[in-house]
Amino acid sequence: MALTAALGSRGAEQDQDGGDGNGGNGNGRGGGEEMMIMREHMFDKVVTPSDVGKLNRLVVPKHFAERHLLPRLPGGGAAGAACPGAVLRFEDGRGGGKAWAFRFSYWSSSQSYVITKGWSSFVRDRRLAAGDTVSFCRAGARLFIDCRKRGAGAGVASAPTTSLLVPVALPQQATSDEDRAPRGRRLRLFGVDLELAGAE
Amino acid sequence: MALTAALGSRGAEQDQDGGDGNGGNGNGRGGGEEMMIMREHMFDKVVTPSDVGKLNRLVVPKHFAERHLLPRLPGGGAAGAACPGAVLRFEDGRGGGKAWAFRFSYWSSSQSYVITKGWSSFVRDRRLAAGDTVSFCRAGARLFIDCRKRGAGAGVASAPTTSLLVPVALPQQATSDEDRAPRGRRLRLFGVDLELAGAE
DNA sequence: AATTCAACCTGAAAT
DNA sequence: AATTTCAGGTTGAAT
């Protein structure tokens, strides 16, 4: 369960990224309102040389994939393996409106889950190197990706895996066209409006 | 425009090549009549290592594909791109009745035209190697493929691209079932009956 | 088991 | 500088 706290209103930018390659680079924070989101950490991976090399793919450890990514797929992905090549959109965990569209697949030949299309642009943009850590988070239905360099200390992206909820400020998403995050029960906590979102 | 000059008569053999992989090897020139055909050169390509390698496909440069192959497709292929996976039959340019059935497709992911199915048999049969040249010709609606080794001089298959019409002797095609080549105006030239065939 | 091949993808080069 | 082309690569299904 994730907590979403609305501070501002009016979604400013819309990063649709119609499915092609690398994430549509939204025009940063053009003065739009922000939103306080309780971000649930999903999983980290210390990337291997292959993950950042010419194979253009990230192997997602099976238990992470099945626990955190399969349930995020359009069809729910409950059944076994092959939800073929769904595209998952991950917002840049640092904010700024950038987002990455990743193709998430199961390779039956190697029986592994992988992120393929779109991954190499992230590696390039963030200068990801072997030994660095990618971090996947979630706020309701919104997904986030961030990374930290090898040996980096604490920070927004380096929340210890024991802490499930990380509050961060983010540009608010478009509320017009039936937001992706299912709206849940609202409550007031610490002086702000909170909203229970996400599955179950 | 192509010129087709009838020398003999009566189609002898019929090489239907029902669409499977490599061309049905008609029994050469089993005494059948021949026909003098003015063969229009369409285009050449110096094949790359990929074209003759394990990718089992020939990339057809877009302008060649659109100018010469799209108009040959069953549906005419006039509109934009995707005439999905049509099969084009190419007779062996050296004569002998052999023919090759090639699948001609457009790959939208790479925005390129390719010849896929059937191509590898041609590569193998003709021992095509990187640097060699494949040559595509046409006589009316009949398509021909030939090749020459790297560094080869003039010859039937090495007509310079400036010469549009190459006269060759070929086994006559079946005239029974409404020949593929649209019949055009006839005239007499150089002492032989000529027939204007082909588009426009 | 190995081969073919349709349909993807991407980096580099050309325009 | 952005777009288009394409050579070289991949996976995965079919055979």
Side-chain angles (χ1 to χ4, degrees), chain A residues 40-43 60-72 76-77 104 113 138 164 200:
Chain A
E40 175 192 349
H41 178 260
M42 296 195 295
F43 64 92
V60 181
K62 183 169 280 191
H63 58 288
F64 290 150
E66 289 175 347
R67 169 142 54 222
H68 294 113
L69 264 24
L70 275 188
R72 302 281 92 70
F104 173 67
Y113 292 93
R138 179 170 75 93
L164 275 186
E200 81 215 328

mmCIF file with all atom_site columns, all heavy atoms in Angstrom, chain A residues 40-43 60-72 76-77 104 113 138 164 200:
data_model
loop_
_atom_site.group_PDB
_atom_site.id
_atom_site.type_symbol
_atom_site.label_atom_id
_atom_site.label_alt_id
_atom_site.label_comp_id
_atom_site.label_asym_id
_atom_site.label_entity_id
_atom_site.label_seq_id
_atom_site.pdbx_PDB_ins_code
_atom_site.Cartn_x
_atom_site.Cartn_y
_atom_site.Cartn_z
_atom_site.occupancy
_atom_site.B_iso_or_equiv
_atom_site.pdbx_formal_charge
_atom_site.auth_seq_id
_atom_site.auth_comp_id
_atom_site.auth_asym_id
_atom_site.auth_atom_id
_atom_site.pdbx_PDB_model_num
ATOM 1   N N   . GLU A 1 40  ? 6.875  3.828   -2.193  1.00 0.00 ? 40  GLU A N   1
ATOM 2   C CA  . GLU A 1 40  ? 7.248  2.513   -1.672  1.00 0.00 ? 40  GLU A CA  1
ATOM 3   C C   . GLU A 1 40  ? 8.436  1.962   -2.440  1.00 0.00 ? 40  GLU A C   1
ATOM 4   O O   . GLU A 1 40  ? 8.408  1.892   -3.674  1.00 0.00 ? 40  GLU A O   1
ATOM 5   C CB  . GLU A 1 40  ? 6.070  1.553   -1.809  1.00 0.00 ? 40  GLU A CB  1
ATOM 6   C CG  . GLU A 1 40  ? 6.410  0.142   -1.400  1.00 0.00 ? 40  GLU A CG  1
ATOM 7   C CD  . GLU A 1 40  ? 5.331  -0.849  -1.806  1.00 0.00 ? 40  GLU A CD  1
ATOM 8   O OE1 . GLU A 1 40  ? 4.251  -0.410  -2.209  1.00 0.00 ? 40  GLU A OE1 1
ATOM 9   O OE2 . GLU A 1 40  ? 5.601  -2.065  -1.714  1.00 0.00 ? 40  GLU A OE2 1
ATOM 10  N N   . HIS A 1 41  ? 9.444  1.596   -1.724  1.00 0.00 ? 41  HIS A N   1
ATOM 11  C CA  . HIS A 1 41  ? 10.590 0.986   -2.374  1.00 0.00 ? 41  HIS A CA  1
ATOM 12  C C   . HIS A 1 41  ? 10.238 -0.429  -2.788  1.00 0.00 ? 41  HIS A C   1
ATOM 13  O O   . HIS A 1 41  ? 9.668  -1.182  -2.004  1.00 0.00 ? 41  HIS A O   1
ATOM 14  C CB  . HIS A 1 41  ? 11.788 0.972   -1.421  1.00 0.00 ? 41  HIS A CB  1
ATOM 15  C CG  . HIS A 1 41  ? 12.989 0.314   -1.995  1.00 0.00 ? 41  HIS A CG  1
ATOM 16  N ND1 . HIS A 1 41  ? 13.336 -0.975  -1.685  1.00 0.00 ? 41  HIS A ND1 1
ATOM 17  C CD2 . HIS A 1 41  ? 13.904 0.766   -2.878  1.00 0.00 ? 41  HIS A CD2 1
ATOM 18  C CE1 . HIS A 1 41  ? 14.440 -1.280  -2.343  1.00 0.00 ? 41  HIS A CE1 1
ATOM 19  N NE2 . HIS A 1 41  ? 14.809 -0.253  -3.076  1.00 0.00 ? 41  HIS A NE2 1
ATOM 20  N N   . MET A 1 42  ? 10.557 -0.780  -4.014  1.00 0.00 ? 42  MET A N   1
ATOM 21  C CA  . MET A 1 42  ? 10.258 -2.144  -4.469  1.00 0.00 ? 42  MET A CA  1
ATOM 22  C C   . MET A 1 42  ? 11.496 -3.029  -4.384  1.00 0.00 ? 42  MET A C   1
ATOM 23  O O   . MET A 1 42  ? 11.552 -3.968  -3.615  1.00 0.00 ? 42  MET A O   1
ATOM 24  C CB  . MET A 1 42  ? 9.700  -2.124  -5.886  1.00 0.00 ? 42  MET A CB  1
ATOM 25  C CG  . MET A 1 42  ? 8.357  -1.409  -5.975  1.00 0.00 ? 42  MET A CG  1
ATOM 26  S SD  . MET A 1 42  ? 7.475  -1.721  -7.516  1.00 0.00 ? 42  MET A SD  1
ATOM 27  C CE  . MET A 1 42  ? 8.539  -0.989  -8.732  1.00 0.00 ? 42  MET A CE  1
ATOM 28  N N   . PHE A 1 43  ? 12.492 -2.703  -5.194  1.00 0.00 ? 43  PHE A N   1
ATOM 29  C CA  . PHE A 1 43  ? 13.728 -3.494  -5.110  1.00 0.00 ? 43  PHE A CA  1
ATOM 30  C C   . PHE A 1 43  ? 14.894 -2.740  -5.723  1.00 0.00 ? 43  PHE A C   1
ATOM 31  O O   . PHE A 1 43  ? 14.708 -1.805  -6.506  1.00 0.00 ? 43  PHE A O   1
ATOM 32  C CB  . PHE A 1 43  ? 13.570 -4.860  -5.794  1.00 0.00 ? 43  PHE A CB  1
ATOM 33  C CG  . PHE A 1 43  ? 13.321 -4.770  -7.273  1.00 0.00 ? 43  PHE A CG  1
ATOM 34  C CD1 . PHE A 1 43  ? 14.384 -4.814  -8.176  1.00 0.00 ? 43  PHE A CD1 1
ATOM 35  C CD2 . PHE A 1 43  ? 12.038 -4.643  -7.776  1.00 0.00 ? 43  PHE A CD2 1
ATOM 36  C CE1 . PHE A 1 43  ? 14.156 -4.725  -9.536  1.00 0.00 ? 43  PHE A CE1 1
ATOM 37  C CE2 . PHE A 1 43  ? 11.803 -4.564  -9.138  1.00 0.00 ? 43  PHE A CE2 1
ATOM 38  C CZ  . PHE A 1 43  ? 12.866 -4.598  -10.019 1.00 0.00 ? 43  PHE A CZ  1
ATOM 39  N N   . VAL A 1 60  ? 16.216 -8.887  -14.523 1.00 0.00 ? 60  VAL A N   1
ATOM 40  C CA  . VAL A 1 60  ? 15.524 -8.622  -13.267 1.00 0.00 ? 60  VAL A CA  1
ATOM 41  C C   . VAL A 1 60  ? 15.411 -9.935  -12.503 1.00 0.00 ? 60  VAL A C   1
ATOM 42  O O   . VAL A 1 60  ? 14.789 -10.875 -12.998 1.00 0.00 ? 60  VAL A O   1
ATOM 43  C CB  . VAL A 1 60  ? 14.122 -8.036  -13.517 1.00 0.00 ? 60  VAL A CB  1
ATOM 44  C CG1 . VAL A 1 60  ? 13.424 -7.744  -12.203 1.00 0.00 ? 60  VAL A CG1 1
ATOM 45  C CG2 . VAL A 1 60  ? 14.211 -6.794  -14.365 1.00 0.00 ? 60  VAL A CG2 1
ATOM 46  N N   . PRO A 1 61  ? 16.037 -9.999  -11.331 1.00 0.00 ? 61  PRO A N   1
ATOM 47  C CA  . PRO A 1 61  ? 15.951 -11.240 -10.547 1.00 0.00 ? 61  PRO A CA  1
ATOM 48  C C   . PRO A 1 61  ? 14.505 -11.711 -10.440 1.00 0.00 ? 61  PRO A C   1
ATOM 49  O O   . PRO A 1 61  ? 13.601 -10.905 -10.215 1.00 0.00 ? 61  PRO A O   1
ATOM 50  C CB  . PRO A 1 61  ? 16.525 -10.822 -9.191  1.00 0.00 ? 61  PRO A CB  1
ATOM 51  C CG  . PRO A 1 61  ? 17.502 -9.737  -9.531  1.00 0.00 ? 61  PRO A CG  1
ATOM 52  C CD  . PRO A 1 61  ? 16.872 -8.989  -10.683 1.00 0.00 ? 61  PRO A CD  1
ATOM 53  N N   . LYS A 1 62  ? 14.344 -13.011 -10.647 1.00 0.00 ? 62  LYS A N   1
ATOM 54  C CA  . LYS A 1 62  ? 13.001 -13.557 -10.783 1.00 0.00 ? 62  LYS A CA  1
ATOM 55  C C   . LYS A 1 62  ? 12.069 -13.190 -9.623  1.00 0.00 ? 62  LYS A C   1
ATOM 56  O O   . LYS A 1 62  ? 10.916 -12.807 -9.846  1.00 0.00 ? 62  LYS A O   1
ATOM 57  C CB  . LYS A 1 62  ? 13.083 -15.085 -10.941 1.00 0.00 ? 62  LYS A CB  1
ATOM 58  C CG  . LYS A 1 62  ? 11.740 -15.739 -11.166 1.00 0.00 ? 62  LYS A CG  1
ATOM 59  C CD  . LYS A 1 62  ? 11.871 -17.192 -11.585 1.00 0.00 ? 62  LYS A CD  1
ATOM 60  C CE  . LYS A 1 62  ? 12.189 -17.335 -13.052 1.00 0.00 ? 62  LYS A CE  1
ATOM 61  N NZ  . LYS A 1 62  ? 12.081 -18.722 -13.552 1.00 0.00 ? 62  LYS A NZ  1
ATOM 62  N N   . HIS A 1 63  ? 12.574 -13.265 -8.398  1.00 0.00 ? 63  HIS A N   1
ATOM 63  C CA  . HIS A 1 63  ? 11.657 -12.999 -7.289  1.00 0.00 ? 63  HIS A CA  1
ATOM 64  C C   . HIS A 1 63  ? 11.229 -11.539 -7.259  1.00 0.00 ? 63  HIS A C   1
ATOM 65  O O   . HIS A 1 63  ? 10.090 -11.221 -6.948  1.00 0.00 ? 63  HIS A O   1
ATOM 66  C CB  . HIS A 1 63  ? 12.275 -13.430 -5.949  1.00 0.00 ? 63  HIS A CB  1
ATOM 67  C CG  . HIS A 1 63  ? 13.571 -12.768 -5.637  1.00 0.00 ? 63  HIS A CG  1
ATOM 68  N ND1 . HIS A 1 63  ? 14.756 -13.073 -6.298  1.00 0.00 ? 63  HIS A ND1 1
ATOM 69  C CD2 . HIS A 1 63  ? 13.909 -11.810 -4.729  1.00 0.00 ? 63  HIS A CD2 1
ATOM 70  C CE1 . HIS A 1 63  ? 15.747 -12.337 -5.814  1.00 0.00 ? 63  HIS A CE1 1
ATOM 71  N NE2 . HIS A 1 63  ? 15.264 -11.565 -4.855  1.00 0.00 ? 63  HIS A NE2 1
ATOM 72  N N   . PHE A 1 64  ? 12.130 -10.638 -7.663  1.00 0.00 ? 64  PHE A N   1
ATOM 73  C CA  . PHE A 1 64  ? 11.746 -9.226  -7.762  1.00 0.00 ? 64  PHE A CA  1
ATOM 74  C C   . PHE A 1 64  ? 10.716 -9.024  -8.861  1.00 0.00 ? 64  PHE A C   1
ATOM 75  O O   . PHE A 1 64  ? 9.713  -8.323  -8.695  1.00 0.00 ? 64  PHE A O   1
ATOM 76  C CB  . PHE A 1 64  ? 12.969 -8.348  -8.054  1.00 0.00 ? 64  PHE A CB  1
ATOM 77  C CG  . PHE A 1 64  ? 13.929 -8.230  -6.900  1.00 0.00 ? 64  PHE A CG  1
ATOM 78  C CD1 . PHE A 1 64  ? 15.288 -8.035  -7.132  1.00 0.00 ? 64  PHE A CD1 1
ATOM 79  C CD2 . PHE A 1 64  ? 13.479 -8.290  -5.586  1.00 0.00 ? 64  PHE A CD2 1
ATOM 80  C CE1 . PHE A 1 64  ? 16.182 -7.910  -6.080  1.00 0.00 ? 64  PHE A CE1 1
ATOM 81  C CE2 . PHE A 1 64  ? 14.369 -8.170  -4.518  1.00 0.00 ? 64  PHE A CE2 1
ATOM 82  C CZ  . PHE A 1 64  ? 15.726 -7.978  -4.768  1.00 0.00 ? 64  PHE A CZ  1
ATOM 83  N N   . ALA A 1 65  ? 10.997 -9.653  -10.000 1.00 0.00 ? 65  ALA A N   1
ATOM 84  C CA  . ALA A 1 65  ? 10.089 -9.503  -11.136 1.00 0.00 ? 65  ALA A CA  1
ATOM 85  C C   . ALA A 1 65  ? 8.699  -10.001 -10.796 1.00 0.00 ? 65  ALA A C   1
ATOM 86  O O   . ALA A 1 65  ? 7.709  -9.335  -11.092 1.00 0.00 ? 65  ALA A O   1
ATOM 87  C CB  . ALA A 1 65  ? 10.641 -10.261 -12.346 1.00 0.00 ? 65  ALA A CB  1
ATOM 88  N N   . GLU A 1 66  ? 8.643  -11.144 -10.153 1.00 0.00 ? 66  GLU A N   1
ATOM 89  C CA  . GLU A 1 66  ? 7.334  -11.734 -9.902  1.00 0.00 ? 66  GLU A CA  1
ATOM 90  C C   . GLU A 1 66  ? 6.585  -11.017 -8.780  1.00 0.00 ? 66  GLU A C   1
ATOM 91  O O   . GLU A 1 66  ? 5.367  -10.897 -8.823  1.00 0.00 ? 66  GLU A O   1
ATOM 92  C CB  . GLU A 1 66  ? 7.486  -13.229 -9.601  1.00 0.00 ? 66  GLU A CB  1
ATOM 93  C CG  . GLU A 1 66  ? 7.869  -14.002 -10.864 1.00 0.00 ? 66  GLU A CG  1
ATOM 94  C CD  . GLU A 1 66  ? 8.162  -15.469 -10.622 1.00 0.00 ? 66  GLU A CD  1
ATOM 95  O OE1 . GLU A 1 66  ? 8.323  -15.864 -9.445  1.00 0.00 ? 66  GLU A OE1 1
ATOM 96  O OE2 . GLU A 1 66  ? 8.244  -16.218 -11.625 1.00 0.00 ? 66  GLU A OE2 1
ATOM 97  N N   . ARG A 1 67  ? 7.350  -10.543 -7.800  1.00 0.00 ? 67  ARG A N   1
ATOM 98  C CA  . ARG A 1 67  ? 6.690  -9.848  -6.694  1.00 0.00 ? 67  ARG A CA  1
ATOM 99  C C   . ARG A 1 67  ? 6.288  -8.430  -7.079  1.00 0.00 ? 67  ARG A C   1
ATOM 100 O O   . ARG A 1 67  ? 5.210  -7.978  -6.728  1.00 0.00 ? 67  ARG A O   1
ATOM 101 C CB  . ARG A 1 67  ? 7.616  -9.806  -5.463  1.00 0.00 ? 67  ARG A CB  1
ATOM 102 C CG  . ARG A 1 67  ? 7.091  -8.871  -4.368  1.00 0.00 ? 67  ARG A CG  1
ATOM 103 C CD  . ARG A 1 67  ? 7.328  -9.394  -2.987  1.00 0.00 ? 67  ARG A CD  1
ATOM 104 N NE  . ARG A 1 67  ? 8.744  -9.717  -2.760  1.00 0.00 ? 67  ARG A NE  1
ATOM 105 C CZ  . ARG A 1 67  ? 9.162  -10.810 -2.114  1.00 0.00 ? 67  ARG A CZ  1
ATOM 106 N NH1 . ARG A 1 67  ? 8.282  -11.674 -1.649  1.00 0.00 ? 67  ARG A NH1 1
ATOM 107 N NH2 . ARG A 1 67  ? 10.445 -11.016 -1.937  1.00 0.00 ? 67  ARG A NH2 1
ATOM 108 N N   . HIS A 1 68  ? 7.152  -7.728  -7.824  1.00 0.00 ? 68  HIS A N   1
ATOM 109 C CA  . HIS A 1 68  ? 6.919  -6.288  -7.992  1.00 0.00 ? 68  HIS A CA  1
ATOM 110 C C   . HIS A 1 68  ? 6.547  -5.827  -9.387  1.00 0.00 ? 68  HIS A C   1
ATOM 111 O O   . HIS A 1 68  ? 5.884  -4.816  -9.539  1.00 0.00 ? 68  HIS A O   1
ATOM 112 C CB  . HIS A 1 68  ? 8.160  -5.513  -7.526  1.00 0.00 ? 68  HIS A CB  1
ATOM 113 C CG  . HIS A 1 68  ? 8.428  -5.633  -6.071  1.00 0.00 ? 68  HIS A CG  1
ATOM 114 N ND1 . HIS A 1 68  ? 9.536  -6.288  -5.555  1.00 0.00 ? 68  HIS A ND1 1
ATOM 115 C CD2 . HIS A 1 68  ? 7.717  -5.210  -4.997  1.00 0.00 ? 68  HIS A CD2 1
ATOM 116 C CE1 . HIS A 1 68  ? 9.494  -6.237  -4.229  1.00 0.00 ? 68  HIS A CE1 1
ATOM 117 N NE2 . HIS A 1 68  ? 8.409  -5.600  -3.872  1.00 0.00 ? 68  HIS A NE2 1
ATOM 118 N N   . LEU A 1 69  ? 7.013  -6.540  -10.395 1.00 0.00 ? 69  LEU A N   1
ATOM 119 C CA  . LEU A 1 69  ? 6.750  -6.058  -11.751 1.00 0.00 ? 69  LEU A CA  1
ATOM 120 C C   . LEU A 1 69  ? 5.560  -6.744  -12.410 1.00 0.00 ? 69  LEU A C   1
ATOM 121 O O   . LEU A 1 69  ? 4.713  -6.096  -13.013 1.00 0.00 ? 69  LEU A O   1
ATOM 122 C CB  . LEU A 1 69  ? 8.017  -6.204  -12.613 1.00 0.00 ? 69  LEU A CB  1
ATOM 123 C CG  . LEU A 1 69  ? 8.914  -4.963  -12.732 1.00 0.00 ? 69  LEU A CG  1
ATOM 124 C CD1 . LEU A 1 69  ? 8.777  -3.992  -11.589 1.00 0.00 ? 69  LEU A CD1 1
ATOM 125 C CD2 . LEU A 1 69  ? 10.355 -5.354  -12.951 1.00 0.00 ? 69  LEU A CD2 1
ATOM 126 N N   . LEU A 1 70  ? 5.491  -8.055  -12.274 1.00 0.00 ? 70  LEU A N   1
ATOM 127 C CA  . LEU A 1 70  ? 4.354  -8.763  -12.870 1.00 0.00 ? 70  LEU A CA  1
ATOM 128 C C   . LEU A 1 70  ? 3.014  -8.173  -12.421 1.00 0.00 ? 70  LEU A C   1
ATOM 129 O O   . LEU A 1 70  ? 2.130  -7.970  -13.253 1.00 0.00 ? 70  LEU A O   1
ATOM 130 C CB  . LEU A 1 70  ? 4.423  -10.261 -12.534 1.00 0.00 ? 70  LEU A CB  1
ATOM 131 C CG  . LEU A 1 70  ? 5.279  -11.128 -13.455 1.00 0.00 ? 70  LEU A CG  1
ATOM 132 C CD1 . LEU A 1 70  ? 5.088  -12.598 -13.122 1.00 0.00 ? 70  LEU A CD1 1
ATOM 133 C CD2 . LEU A 1 70  ? 4.925  -10.874 -14.911 1.00 0.00 ? 70  LEU A CD2 1
ATOM 134 N N   . PRO A 1 71  ? 2.844  -7.877  -11.131 1.00 0.00 ? 71  PRO A N   1
ATOM 135 C CA  . PRO A 1 71  ? 1.544  -7.321  -10.729 1.00 0.00 ? 71  PRO A CA  1
ATOM 136 C C   . PRO A 1 71  ? 1.263  -5.942  -11.309 1.00 0.00 ? 71  PRO A C   1
ATOM 137 O O   . PRO A 1 71  ? 0.137  -5.461  -11.257 1.00 0.00 ? 71  PRO A O   1
ATOM 138 C CB  . PRO A 1 71  ? 1.663  -7.230  -9.200  1.00 0.00 ? 71  PRO A CB  1
ATOM 139 C CG  . PRO A 1 71  ? 2.752  -8.174  -8.830  1.00 0.00 ? 71  PRO A CG  1
ATOM 140 C CD  . PRO A 1 71  ? 3.717  -8.128  -9.974  1.00 0.00 ? 71  PRO A CD  1
ATOM 141 N N   . ARG A 1 72  ? 2.272  -5.302  -11.847 1.00 0.00 ? 72  ARG A N   1
ATOM 142 C CA  . ARG A 1 72  ? 2.079  -3.954  -12.401 1.00 0.00 ? 72  ARG A CA  1
ATOM 143 C C   . ARG A 1 72  ? 1.687  -3.999  -13.866 1.00 0.00 ? 72  ARG A C   1
ATOM 144 O O   . ARG A 1 72  ? 1.407  -2.975  -14.464 1.00 0.00 ? 72  ARG A O   1
ATOM 145 C CB  . ARG A 1 72  ? 3.369  -3.128  -12.282 1.00 0.00 ? 72  ARG A CB  1
ATOM 146 C CG  . ARG A 1 72  ? 3.924  -2.960  -10.872 1.00 0.00 ? 72  ARG A CG  1
ATOM 147 C CD  . ARG A 1 72  ? 3.160  -1.887  -10.099 1.00 0.00 ? 72  ARG A CD  1
ATOM 148 N NE  . ARG A 1 72  ? 2.043  -2.415  -9.332  1.00 0.00 ? 72  ARG A NE  1
ATOM 149 C CZ  . ARG A 1 72  ? 2.134  -3.174  -8.236  1.00 0.00 ? 72  ARG A CZ  1
ATOM 150 N NH1 . ARG A 1 72  ? 3.287  -3.514  -7.749  1.00 0.00 ? 72  ARG A NH1 1
ATOM 151 N NH2 . ARG A 1 72  ? 1.052  -3.589  -7.628  1.00 0.00 ? 72  ARG A NH2 1
ATOM 152 N N   . GLY A 1 76  ? -2.470 -7.575  -15.307 1.00 0.00 ? 76  GLY A N   1
ATOM 153 C CA  . GLY A 1 76  ? -2.358 -8.092  -13.952 1.00 0.00 ? 76  GLY A CA  1
ATOM 154 C C   . GLY A 1 76  ? -1.265 -9.127  -13.821 1.00 0.00 ? 76  GLY A C   1
ATOM 155 O O   . GLY A 1 76  ? -0.653 -9.287  -12.784 1.00 0.00 ? 76  GLY A O   1
ATOM 156 N N   . GLY A 1 77  ? -1.007 -9.838  -14.917 1.00 0.00 ? 77  GLY A N   1
ATOM 157 C CA  . GLY A 1 77  ? 0.133  -10.755 -14.979 1.00 0.00 ? 77  GLY A CA  1
ATOM 158 C C   . GLY A 1 77  ? 0.139  -11.836 -13.928 1.00 0.00 ? 77  GLY A C   1
ATOM 159 O O   . GLY A 1 77  ? 1.179  -12.395 -13.607 1.00 0.00 ? 77  GLY A O   1
ATOM 160 N N   . PHE A 1 104 ? 9.265  -4.817  -20.665 1.00 0.00 ? 104 PHE A N   1
ATOM 161 C CA  . PHE A 1 104 ? 9.513  -5.844  -19.663 1.00 0.00 ? 104 PHE A CA  1
ATOM 162 C C   . PHE A 1 104 ? 9.068  -7.184  -20.230 1.00 0.00 ? 104 PHE A C   1
ATOM 163 O O   . PHE A 1 104 ? 7.906  -7.349  -20.579 1.00 0.00 ? 104 PHE A O   1
ATOM 164 C CB  . PHE A 1 104 ? 8.751  -5.512  -18.377 1.00 0.00 ? 104 PHE A CB  1
ATOM 165 C CG  . PHE A 1 104 ? 8.811  -6.581  -17.328 1.00 0.00 ? 104 PHE A CG  1
ATOM 166 C CD1 . PHE A 1 104 ? 10.018 -6.894  -16.693 1.00 0.00 ? 104 PHE A CD1 1
ATOM 167 C CD2 . PHE A 1 104 ? 7.663  -7.267  -16.966 1.00 0.00 ? 104 PHE A CD2 1
ATOM 168 C CE1 . PHE A 1 104 ? 10.069 -7.884  -15.723 1.00 0.00 ? 104 PHE A CE1 1
ATOM 169 C CE2 . PHE A 1 104 ? 7.714  -8.259  -15.993 1.00 0.00 ? 104 PHE A CE2 1
ATOM 170 C CZ  . PHE A 1 104 ? 8.920  -8.566  -15.376 1.00 0.00 ? 104 PHE A CZ  1
ATOM 171 N N   . TYR A 1 113 ? 13.549 -12.882 -16.412 1.00 0.00 ? 113 TYR A N   1
ATOM 172 C CA  . TYR A 1 113 ? 12.824 -11.661 -16.704 1.00 0.00 ? 113 TYR A CA  1
ATOM 173 C C   . TYR A 1 113 ? 13.833 -10.579 -17.065 1.00 0.00 ? 113 TYR A C   1
ATOM 174 O O   . TYR A 1 113 ? 14.900 -10.475 -16.432 1.00 0.00 ? 113 TYR A O   1
ATOM 175 C CB  . TYR A 1 113 ? 12.002 -11.242 -15.500 1.00 0.00 ? 113 TYR A CB  1
ATOM 176 C CG  . TYR A 1 113 ? 10.856 -12.181 -15.210 1.00 0.00 ? 113 TYR A CG  1
ATOM 177 C CD1 . TYR A 1 113 ? 11.010 -13.237 -14.306 1.00 0.00 ? 113 TYR A CD1 1
ATOM 178 C CD2 . TYR A 1 113 ? 9.630  -12.020 -15.842 1.00 0.00 ? 113 TYR A CD2 1
ATOM 179 C CE1 . TYR A 1 113 ? 9.968  -14.106 -14.052 1.00 0.00 ? 113 TYR A CE1 1
ATOM 180 C CE2 . TYR A 1 113 ? 8.580  -12.885 -15.588 1.00 0.00 ? 113 TYR A CE2 1
ATOM 181 C CZ  . TYR A 1 113 ? 8.751  -13.931 -14.695 1.00 0.00 ? 113 TYR A CZ  1
ATOM 182 O OH  . TYR A 1 113 ? 7.722  -14.787 -14.448 1.00 0.00 ? 113 TYR A OH  1
ATOM 183 N N   . ARG A 1 138 ? 7.692  2.721   -6.231  1.00 0.00 ? 138 ARG A N   1
ATOM 184 C CA  . ARG A 1 138 ? 6.319  2.782   -6.698  1.00 0.00 ? 138 ARG A CA  1
ATOM 185 C C   . ARG A 1 138 ? 5.518  3.699   -5.790  1.00 0.00 ? 138 ARG A C   1
ATOM 186 O O   . ARG A 1 138 ? 5.746  3.745   -4.572  1.00 0.00 ? 138 ARG A O   1
ATOM 187 C CB  . ARG A 1 138 ? 5.713  1.374   -6.664  1.00 0.00 ? 138 ARG A CB  1
ATOM 188 C CG  . ARG A 1 138 ? 4.270  1.281   -7.095  1.00 0.00 ? 138 ARG A CG  1
ATOM 189 C CD  . ARG A 1 138 ? 3.855  -0.162  -7.249  1.00 0.00 ? 138 ARG A CD  1
ATOM 190 N NE  . ARG A 1 138 ? 3.659  -0.820  -5.969  1.00 0.00 ? 138 ARG A NE  1
ATOM 191 C CZ  . ARG A 1 138 ? 2.476  -0.888  -5.346  1.00 0.00 ? 138 ARG A CZ  1
ATOM 192 N NH1 . ARG A 1 138 ? 1.423  -0.320  -5.881  1.00 0.00 ? 138 ARG A NH1 1
ATOM 193 N NH2 . ARG A 1 138 ? 2.367  -1.511  -4.202  1.00 0.00 ? 138 ARG A NH2 1
ATOM 194 N N   . LEU A 1 164 ? 10.254 0.984   3.763   1.00 0.00 ? 164 LEU A N   1
ATOM 195 C CA  . LEU A 1 164 ? 9.359  0.785   2.636   1.00 0.00 ? 164 LEU A CA  1
ATOM 196 C C   . LEU A 1 164 ? 8.825  2.080   2.057   1.00 0.00 ? 164 LEU A C   1
ATOM 197 O O   . LEU A 1 164 ? 8.523  2.163   0.888   1.00 0.00 ? 164 LEU A O   1
ATOM 198 C CB  . LEU A 1 164 ? 8.187  -0.092  3.049   1.00 0.00 ? 164 LEU A CB  1
ATOM 199 C CG  . LEU A 1 164 ? 8.457  -1.590  2.965   1.00 0.00 ? 164 LEU A CG  1
ATOM 200 C CD1 . LEU A 1 164 ? 7.197  -2.363  3.238   1.00 0.00 ? 164 LEU A CD1 1
ATOM 201 C CD2 . LEU A 1 164 ? 9.001  -1.938  1.588   1.00 0.00 ? 164 LEU A CD2 1
ATOM 202 N N   . GLU A 1 200 ? -4.688 -3.815  -3.769  1.00 0.00 ? 200 GLU A N   1
ATOM 203 C CA  . GLU A 1 200 ? -5.214 -4.386  -2.515  1.00 0.00 ? 200 GLU A CA  1
ATOM 204 C C   . GLU A 1 200 ? -5.540 -3.296  -1.580  1.00 0.00 ? 200 GLU A C   1
ATOM 205 O O   . GLU A 1 200 ? -6.131 -2.753  -0.995  1.00 0.00 ? 200 GLU A O   1
ATOM 206 C CB  . GLU A 1 200 ? -4.202 -5.336  -1.872  1.00 0.00 ? 200 GLU A CB  1
ATOM 207 C CG  . GLU A 1 200 ? -3.129 -4.658  -1.086  1.00 0.00 ? 200 GLU A CG  1
ATOM 208 C CD  . GLU A 1 200 ? -1.795 -5.400  -1.204  1.00 0.00 ? 200 GLU A CD  1
ATOM 209 O OE1 . GLU A 1 200 ? -1.816 -6.623  -1.338  1.00 0.00 ? 200 GLU A OE1 1
ATOM 210 O OE2 . GLU A 1 200 ? -0.782 -4.712  -1.186  1.00 0.00 ? 200 GLU A OE2 1
#
